[in-house]
């Protein structure tokens, strides 16, 4: 049994962002204070979450309980390896995204609202990560829906309203499914704990199990943009870039994926799912999505739309890996949360920087941008190579363990699917790099890009840090106190293995 | 050692007497009338809280008026259902505070003292209704709060108010007649009007006249509680009344109908063969009400009308819970009655503050108000989300318990109903939030509006906080009503 | 410092020096100082060469003392380390790369216009030099995969360096082929690791060391086919060669030289590593894949040579010839004979220099006269005597005329085949050499012909065109010629490629090559 320690840090980590939101709302239009509070809270949260890493690596589990929200269902936090991994990713990216957003959003309207809800989003994300049971997770999950809504709406024009409405309709529907699944689950098991490796067992009866599985997976699948529940994601691209980055890389989609992982590893448990065979279908679905979404991405002409479809494809890597039900695939699923996050956020940051620096939003307008913004485009190149799965970049690590996991599961076909998906990734990223670096700047009279507005260094800095992380995650897996070992611990817990994975 | 039971009559009599005195004492001094009414309501609240503490401390107790013992005399008793007097008194108190500035504009100056009098009398009627242990007094107090409610609806300046009040009056009177008739039947069958004694007698009686009485009582109280399909008086009445009255009506008066239903169940607890079909019917009517009310709310343009329809939906939830007759569903329904009261009065008061400041009640006209009236708008946004049943706010506890109960009773489809209704509620909530925060002002009245006075936003804010606090206090509340649920239904699965 | 650790340090330097140097050169465009840029390029490339040579000597010394050393860089996918190891085959290959690349860079100094973009070329070539050295010195499959993918991608900007529409088309084609191949390699590597729980290169074969009976035969064959096909794309193994004839003419000539001389060879090298050190001779025989490989390679030798005959563009003809020549190596390895293997390895090195030199010549001709078509090269010999003379010499070497280097490789290779009884193989090699003569002789003949009316090289107003004024190019051409002679004449001396190749065959097959 893992030693559980009562610790206030999980609570503080959630509260820091909450307090930050309050402070940001309170200072209203004083930009300096807004920046100060946002950065201070991001920094404190970062330190708090990372300070739990050594303990977690040593096998400790931090808990903090408030008491019961409902009979038999407590409201509390429990920091296990999987949750801490997710929290590490989001708190790290919050720091970077905050800095980037301060640069990107300069001069926009309603900034206190923007940064306030931004902080709330991260607060709820960490709440999801640390949730001790499904109900606590659901609380933060729904709050996240609500807190992201003003961010998508930020531009307050027709397109933003439409997208936000679509987002809400989808996510509320998903939330409803989760709630229904959760009620079913509680009524058959009497618990919603996420501390076990499976709270269900076969005695519950097949049709109940199937209903719970479908409800929870479809419910979380909405935010995880699992096709065919994905349509909100490309639409939500109207939001400001830092929000898209947050939606795609950190908070929203990862919350969905995290929910799916929790469903598979902690609610059903590996053994039960293996007996039931539902996961095979899920894996098949994920495999199809991987390819179909990539083909869709190939057809997009807007940079951000392409990024959105690529996200859908990448998320299905995680779902596939989780559904394969082998230890190495689980490792791939967990580690890909970080890998996809850092790679994708780099791309989003770059897309935003290009938009700010040159006003270009379309793939075919990128000609010569590499000349104007060499560092930015270099970062873009690294991140896209990561998605293609070139060794040394983060994406390769996923691809490798996912392949081994698929072979372990006797499903070698997924290796082929992944290779194809990698090629499709190459087919839509490399032309952009080609445009940016090898095509000359078009010389349009009256539109001299050489006199373009300078891109703030507050945007370039996070881009470079994220790109460095992409390499660090790809090449530094064995370095001491890297999240990799945490992911491994989480995978081991799910499979109840004592020895390190291979 | 004070004999606690002596305090029980104060709960009803103080507001009744205080209300009756108001027009006499403060006919031409509305400010003083308000202060008087608030004082009376405060004292009543303190008494209610003291009685609640006593109840928690050492269980239920009763008081025989004039020393006449039950079976012949009038019995008052404090039990878990009667404890609803605490939220009732507090909510009326807050509504009265809110009224201070509100009535100046919404009610004719000459009627202000009558307005306060009616609110107090309404409270007295409600409290009496809650603590009475006797069927006939149940009817009497019901008439007190009903009649005062009709009159309160009519105090509004809105042209539609008198029509709405008339509609309310006609249906209310019909339902009162049904109740009176059934009380007569029960008395004829058992020879007693005391609830406990009558219940004991009815358990042994023949089904036919008892069934008639049950149907009459249930229908009568269902009209008061606005159960679908006898709900149609409610939207107009609640929308037309002055906002604090709407709050009291939606939060408390319809709940009194539910308490009436609970008392009826208590009365017929022994006659299970009669109860079962009724409960079944109630579940499905409740489900229809929940869905229909939520959908109707979604298409409303008038903010108060929207809130009124959402009341129909929430009454539907509560009836689902009552009808399911499992421990978790019934206790969930009872807790939801309290939580909904808090949430809905916050919403009505917030809407009232907005209407007070802008004179506008169409949701589209209220665009952009979020920045002009930050506290009020925040209260409305927050409680709308709470209303949808998002955990950990107050709306969640009851729905969760009812959903669990539905599964225990083998009705998974009801879970779908609850979930869908919740989503619809959230959808119209988001519509309002959208208008308040993300749209530019479309009306001059909005652009020039400022935050409401503290007497308005403070009650809103307190209720907003309460709607979170009650959500976090779900477990103690459920534990508190648990025994009551068990005793009303005999034994629950 | 012990011998083993100093060797691993050298291996590390051999990879990292050109990579960091290359990254440094990228920024040279900002220095605004050509001499400084060239100095850095020179120091880095020659320094890498020196490091590799010292490393090779140290390796030879250690091999005679039976030492092994491995240096771990970092970990990509635990528990597999990214690690370097120096053995004879790797050292020979690293030395070949490290020697050819400086020549190509020297040629590029003359070939490329003097603008800011030339530094990108130099930078990319240096970084790929480091990555190719990494491939040569990889201690396991994952390390090989890492460097292989990196330098494959790095070749792309070099192929499209000219920014012409043809170059872009060739670049796309290259990427499609190479990335598809990379995908197969990835799948193959994953499969091998899954089967063996290790990806370490081992003399005699990693998989032969595991419990053979427990491994699924289908999985083994699948892994073998995936790896062969994946690397085969790079090695231009027919029918996976489609990118080669397009990429070579499109790329700048000095890079075509690197491409043909060593990059294609990297694919072949990887195939050798996989066949001999992952599967191992015993398992290969058991699986029965060798005859198939021999069949494909044999067809490639002949078919590519025939296609070369039909080609009028000099660089395309040379590109087809590369396909044909590299197929010799694949063909030779299928016999698993130490002598044939040693010959094949030596042939890789020899081919690098004569084919690189030929591309240098073609580049010089293109840069100075603008000529691509062989049919229009009449009279070139008189205008560019040194270049034309070297071209003749190198063509003769490729045909296998003694005592030039081409002969040494083919002779050893052929004698090995004869010893192992592979007479069919031998016949294919002979036919290939014959065809080489058929497609190269017209080139020699044409450039030494007297120009006729209408020929670009006819004396007249343009008499100044084609004078060999760019010294850097000429230097590279002549150096390649000299090396080819030296490798042929002094082939038997210790320390020369043939000797190293013999040591390598010895280490790989565990049997001594001839004598």
């Amino acid at each position: 049994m893992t030693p559980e320690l009562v610790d206030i840090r999980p609570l503080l980590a959630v509260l820091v962002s909450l307090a930050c939101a309050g402070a940001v709302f309170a200072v209203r239009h004083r930009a300096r204070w807004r920046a100060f509070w946002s950065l201070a809270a991001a920094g404190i949260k970062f330190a708090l979450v990372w300070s739990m890493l050594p303990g977690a690596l040593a096998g400790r589990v931090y808990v903090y309980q408030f008491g019961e929200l409902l009979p038999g269902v407590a409201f509390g936090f429990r920091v296990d390896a999987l949750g801490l991994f997710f929290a590490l990713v989001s708190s790290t990216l919050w720091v970077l995204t905050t800095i980037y957003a301060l640069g990107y959003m300069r001069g926009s309207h309603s900034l206190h609202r923007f940064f306030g809800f931004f902080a709330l989003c991260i607060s709820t994300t960490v709440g999801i990560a640390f949730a001790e049971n499904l109900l606590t997770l659901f609380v933060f999950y729904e709050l996240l829906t609500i807190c992201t809504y003003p961010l998508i709406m930020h531009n307050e024009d027709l397109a933003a309203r439409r997208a936000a409405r679509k987002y809400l309709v989808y996510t509320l529907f998903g939330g409803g499914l989760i709630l229904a699944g959760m009620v079913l689950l509680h009524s058959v098991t009497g618990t919603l704990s996420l501390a076990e490796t499976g709270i269900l067992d076969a005695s519950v009866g097949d049709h109940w199990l199937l209903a719970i599985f479908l409800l929870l997976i479809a419910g979380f699948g909405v935010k995880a943009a699992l096709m065919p529940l994905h349509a909100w994601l490309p639409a939500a691209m109207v939001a400001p870039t830092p929000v898209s980055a947050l939606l795609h890389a950190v908070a929203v989609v990862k919350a969905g994926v995290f929910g799916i992982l929790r469903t598979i590893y902690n609610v059903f448990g590996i053994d039960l799912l293996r007996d039931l065979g539902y996961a095979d279908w899920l894996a098949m679905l994920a495999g199809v999505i991987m390819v179909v979404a990539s083909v869709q991405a190939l057809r997009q002409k807007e940079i951000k739309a392409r990024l959105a479809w690529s996200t859908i494809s990448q998320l299905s890597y995680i779902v596939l890996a989780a559904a394969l039900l082998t230890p190495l695939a689980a490792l791939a699923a967990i580690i890909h949360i970080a890998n996809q996050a850092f790679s994708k956020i780099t791309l989003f940051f770059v897309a935003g920087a290009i938009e700010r620096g040159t006003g270009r939003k379309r793939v075919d307008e990128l000609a010569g941008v590499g000349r104007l913004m060499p560092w930015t485009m270099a970062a873009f190149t690294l991140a896209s190579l990561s998605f293609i799965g070139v060794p040394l970049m983060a994406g390769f690590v996923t691809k490798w363990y996912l392949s081994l996991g698929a072979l372990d599961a006797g499903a070698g076909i997924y290796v082929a699917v992944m290779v194809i998906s990698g090629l499709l990734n190459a087919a839509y990223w490399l032309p952009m790099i080609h445009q940016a670096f090898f095509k000359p700047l078009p010389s349009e009279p009256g539109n001299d890009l050489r006199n373009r507005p300078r891109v703030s260094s507050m945007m370039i800095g996070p881009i470079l840090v994220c790109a460095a992380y992409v390499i660090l995650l790809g090449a530094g897996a064995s370095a001491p106190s890297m999240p990799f070992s945490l992911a491994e611990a989480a995978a081991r817990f799910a499979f109840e293995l004592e020895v390190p994975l291979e | 050692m004070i004999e606690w039971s002596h305090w029980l009559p104060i709960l009803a009599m103080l507001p009744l007497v205080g209300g009756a005195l108001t027009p006499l004492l403060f006919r031409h001094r509305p400010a003083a009338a308000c202060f008087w009414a608030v004082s009376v309501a405060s004292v009543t609240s303190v008494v209610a809280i003291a009685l609640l503490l006593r109840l928690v401390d050492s269980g239920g107790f009763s008081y025989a008026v004039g020393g006449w013992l039950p079976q012949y005399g009038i019995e008052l008793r404090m039990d878990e259902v009667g404890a609803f007097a605490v939220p009732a008194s507090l909510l009326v108190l807050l509504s009265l505070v809110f009224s201070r500035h509100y009535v100046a504009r919404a009610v004719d100056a000459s009627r202000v003292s009558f307005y306060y009098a009616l609110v107090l009398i309404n409270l007295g009627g409600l409290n009496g209704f809650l603590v009475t242990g006797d069927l006939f007094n149940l009817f009497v107090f019901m008439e007190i709060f009903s009649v005062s409610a009709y009159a309160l609806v009519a105090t509004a300046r809105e042209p539609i108010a008198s029509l709405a009040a008339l509609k309310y009056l006609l249906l209310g009177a019909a339902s009162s007649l049904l109740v009176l008739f059934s009380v007569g039947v029960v008395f004829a069958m058992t020879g007693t009007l005391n609830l406990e004694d009558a219940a004991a007698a009815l358990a042994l009686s023949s089904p036919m006249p008892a069934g008639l009485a049950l149907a009459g009582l249930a229908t009568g109280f269902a009209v008061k509680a606005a159960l679908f399909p006898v709900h149609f008086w409610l939207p107009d009445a609640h929308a037309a009344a002055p906002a604090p009255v709407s709050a009291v009506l939606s939060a408390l008066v319809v709940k009194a109908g539910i308490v009436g239903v609970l008392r009826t169940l208590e009365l017929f607890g022994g006659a299970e063969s009669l109860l079962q079909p009724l409960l079944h019917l109630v579940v499905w009517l409740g489900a229809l009400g929940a869905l229909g009310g939520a959908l109707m709310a979604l298409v409303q343009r008038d903010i108060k009308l929207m809130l009124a329809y959402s009341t129909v939906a929430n009454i539907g939830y509560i009836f689902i819970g009552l009808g399911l007759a499992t421990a978790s569903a019934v206790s969930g329904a009872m807790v939801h009655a309290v939580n909904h009261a808090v949430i809905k009065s916050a919403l009505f008061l917030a809407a009232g503050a907005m209407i007070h400041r802008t004179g506008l009640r169409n949701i589209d006209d209220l665009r952009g108000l979020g920045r002009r009236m930050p506290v009020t708008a925040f209260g409305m946004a927050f409680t709308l989300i709470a209303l949808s049943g998002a955990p950990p706010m107050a709306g969640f506890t009851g729905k969760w318990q009812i959903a669990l109960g539905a599964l225990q009773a083998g009705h998974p489809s009801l879970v779908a109903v609850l979930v869908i209704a919740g989503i619809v509620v959230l959808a119209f909530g988001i519509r309002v939030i959208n208008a308040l925060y993300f749209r530019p002002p479309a009306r001059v009245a909005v652009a020039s509006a400022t935050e409401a006075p503290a007497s308005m936003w403070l009650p809103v804010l307190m209720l907003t906080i309460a709607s979170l606090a009650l959500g976090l206090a779900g477990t103690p509340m459920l534990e508190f009503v648990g025994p009551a649920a068990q005793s009303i239904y005999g034994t629950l699965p | 410092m012990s011998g083993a650790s100093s060797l691993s340090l050298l291996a590390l330097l051999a990879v990292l020096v050109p990579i960091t140097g290359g990254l440094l050169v990228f920024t040279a465009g900002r220095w605004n100082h050509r001499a400084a840029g060239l100095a850095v390029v020179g120091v880095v490339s020659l320094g890498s060469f020196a490091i590799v040579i010292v490393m090779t000597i140290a390796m030879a010394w250690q091999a005679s003392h039976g030492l092994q050393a491995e240096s771990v860089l970092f970990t990509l996918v635990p528990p597999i380390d990214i690690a370097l190891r120096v053995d004879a085959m790797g050292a020979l290959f690293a030395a070949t790369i490290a020697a050819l690349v400086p020549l190509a860079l020297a040629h590029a100094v003359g070939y490329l216009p003097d603008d800011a973009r030339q530094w990108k070329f130099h930078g990319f070539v240096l970084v790929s030099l480091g990555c190719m050295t990494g491939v040569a010195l990889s201690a396991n499959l994952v390390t090989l995969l890492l460097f292989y993918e990196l330098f494959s991608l790095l070749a792309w900007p070099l192929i499209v360096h000219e920014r012409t529409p043809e170059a872009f088309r060739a670049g796309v084609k290259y990427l499609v082929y190479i990335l598809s191949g990379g995908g197969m390699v990835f799948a193959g590597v994953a499969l091998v690791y899954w089967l063996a729980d290790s990806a370490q290169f081992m003399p005699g074969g990693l998989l032969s060391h595991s419990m053979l009976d427990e491994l699924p035969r289908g999985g083994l064959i699948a892994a073998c086919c995936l790896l062969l096909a994946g690397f085969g794309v790079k090695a231009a193994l027919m029918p996976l060669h489609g990118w080669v004839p397009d990429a070579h003419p499109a790329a700048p000539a000095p890079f075509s030289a690197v491409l043909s001389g060593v990059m294609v060879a990297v694919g072949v090298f990887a195939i050798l590593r996989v066949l001999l050190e992952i599967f191992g001779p015993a398992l290969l025989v058991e699986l029965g894949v060798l005859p198939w490989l021999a069949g494909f390679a044999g067809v490639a030798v002949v078919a590519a040579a025939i296609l070369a005959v039909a080609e009028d563009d000099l660089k395309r003809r040379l590109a087809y010839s590369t396909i044909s020549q590299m197929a010799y190596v694949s063909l030779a390895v299928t016999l698993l004979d130490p002598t044939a293997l040693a010959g094949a390895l030596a042939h890789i090195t020899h081919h690098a220099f004569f084919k690189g030199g030929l591309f240098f010549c073609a580049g010089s001709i293109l840069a100075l006269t603008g000529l691509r078509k062989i049919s229009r090269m009449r009279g070139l010999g008189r205008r560019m005597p040194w270049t034309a003379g070297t071209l003749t010499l190198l063509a003769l070497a490729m045909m296998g005329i003694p005592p030039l280097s081409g002969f040494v490789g083919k002779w050893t290779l052929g004698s090995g085949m004869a010893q192992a009884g592979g007479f069919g193989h031998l016949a294919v090699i002979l036919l290939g050499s014959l065809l080489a003569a058929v497609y190269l002789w017209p080139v020699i003949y044409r450039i030494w012909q007297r120009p006729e009316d209408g020929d670009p090289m006819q004396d007249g107003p343009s008499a100044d065109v084609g004078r060999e004024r760019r010294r850097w190019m000429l230097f590279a051409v002549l150096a390649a010629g000299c090396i080819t002679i030296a490798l042929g004449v002094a082939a038997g001396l210790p320390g020369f490629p043939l000797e190293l190749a013999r040591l390598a065959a010895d280490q790989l097959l565990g049997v001594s090559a001839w004598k």
Side-chain angles (χ1 to χ4, degrees), chain A residues 385 390-392 396-397 399-401 403-404 407-408 415 419 423 426 430 434 437-439 474-475 477-478 484 502, chain C residues 74-80 145-146 149 153 156-157 160 163 168 175 179-180 183 186-187 189-191 193-194 197:
Chain A
L385 291 183
V390 174
L392 205 66
F396 175 77
V397 181
K399 212 165 99 172
W400 176 256
Y401 288 113
S403 298
L404 294 181
L407 290 170
D408 276 342
V415 180
V419 166
L423 291 179
L430 293 183
H434 179 251
F437 279 115
F438 300 145
K439 289 287 173 76
S478 64
F484 183 88
E502 303 212 26
Chain C
F74 53 89
T75 306
L76 205 57
V77 277
I80 311 171
L145 177 68
L146 164 71
E149 290 276 0
L153 286 167
W156 178 41
V160 301
R163 310 275 160 103
F168 284 151
L175 274 183
L179 290 175
S180 312
F186 171 82
V189 172
L191 201 51
Y193 179 75
W194 182 66
D197 268 344

Side-chain angles (χ1 to χ4, degrees), chain B residues 250 307 310-311 314 339-349 387:
Chain B
S250 255
L307 294 176
S310 120
T311 299
N314 277 282
N339 289 343
H340 173 252
V342 171
I343 294 170
K344 191 48 69 62
S345 42
L347 284 167
F348 268 118
L349 292 185
L387 183 68

Side-chain angles (χ1 to χ4, degrees), chain A residues 89-151:
Chain A
V89 173
S90 31
S91 63
T92 308
L93 285 177
W94 188 36
V95 178
L96 295 169
T97 317
T98 304
I99 298 172
Y100 180 84
L102 286 171
Y104 183 91
M105 299 301 290
R106 199 171 282 165
S108 174
H109 66 101
S110 311
L111 281 176
H112 63 286
R113 182 180 79 198
F114 181 87
F115 281 99
F117 277 100
F118 209 73
L120 281 180
C121 276
I122 296 299
S123 176
T124 53
T125 308
V126 174
I128 291 170
F130 290 163
E132 188 252 351
N133 54 51
L134 206 52
L135 181 64
T136 312
L137 191 149
F138 182 70
V139 168
F140 286 106
Y141 190 85
E142 289 292 274
L143 284 176
L144 177 61
T145 304
I146 292 159
C147 295
T148 16
Y149 180 73
L151 297 176

Side-chain angles (χ1 to χ4, degrees), chain A residues 19-45:
Chain A
C20 163
V24 168
F25 283 127
V27 300
R28 295 186 70 81
H29 300 292
R30 271 159 287 179
R32 272 174 201 285
W33 282 104
R34 184 163 59 226
F36 170 76
W37 285 120
S38 297
L39 288 174
I44 295 171
K45 167 123 121 197

Side-chain angles (χ1 to χ4, degrees), chain A residues 80-233:
Chain A
D80 63 359
L82 177 58
L84 184 60
F85 187 84
F86 183 36
L88 282 178
V89 173
S90 31
S91 63
T92 308
L93 285 177
W94 188 36
V95 178
L96 295 169
T97 317
T98 304
I99 298 172
Y100 180 84
L102 286 171
Y104 183 91
M105 299 301 290
R106 199 171 282 165
S108 174
H109 66 101
S110 311
L111 281 176
H112 63 286
R113 182 180 79 198
F114 181 87
F115 281 99
F117 277 100
F118 209 73
L120 281 180
C121 276
I122 296 299
S123 176
T124 53
T125 308
V126 174
I128 291 170
F130 290 163
E132 188 252 351
N133 54 51
L134 206 52
L135 181 64
T136 312
L137 191 149
F138 182 70
V139 168
F140 286 106
Y141 190 85
E142 289 292 274
L143 284 176
L144 177 61
T145 304
I146 292 159
C147 295
T148 16
Y149 180 73
L151 297 176
I152 299 180
M153 271 293 261
H154 186 79
N155 289 340
E156 296 186 11
D157 53 11
L158 188 65
R161 273 205 301 279
R162 284 223 179 106
R165 194 180 314 145
K166 198 167 192 178
Y167 169 70
L168 265 193
V169 170
Y170 271 86
T171 45
L172 291 182
F173 171 70
L177 294 182
I178 298 171
L179 182 61
M182 212 160 63
V183 172
L184 277 184
L185 181 64
H186 189 263
S187 74
V188 297
T189 62
T191 172
L192 292 174
S193 165
L194 293 176
E196 317 284 326
T197 53
I199 53 176
L200 284 165
D201 57 62
S203 65
V204 169
D206 272 357
H207 55 288
W208 286 120
L209 288 172
L210 182 61
I212 293 171
F213 186 78
L214 287 178
L215 284 169
L216 288 182
I217 295 292
F220 287 118
V222 170
K223 272 197 184 147
L226 207 59
M227 270 172 150
L229 304 168
H230 64 285
W232 62 272
L233 187 63

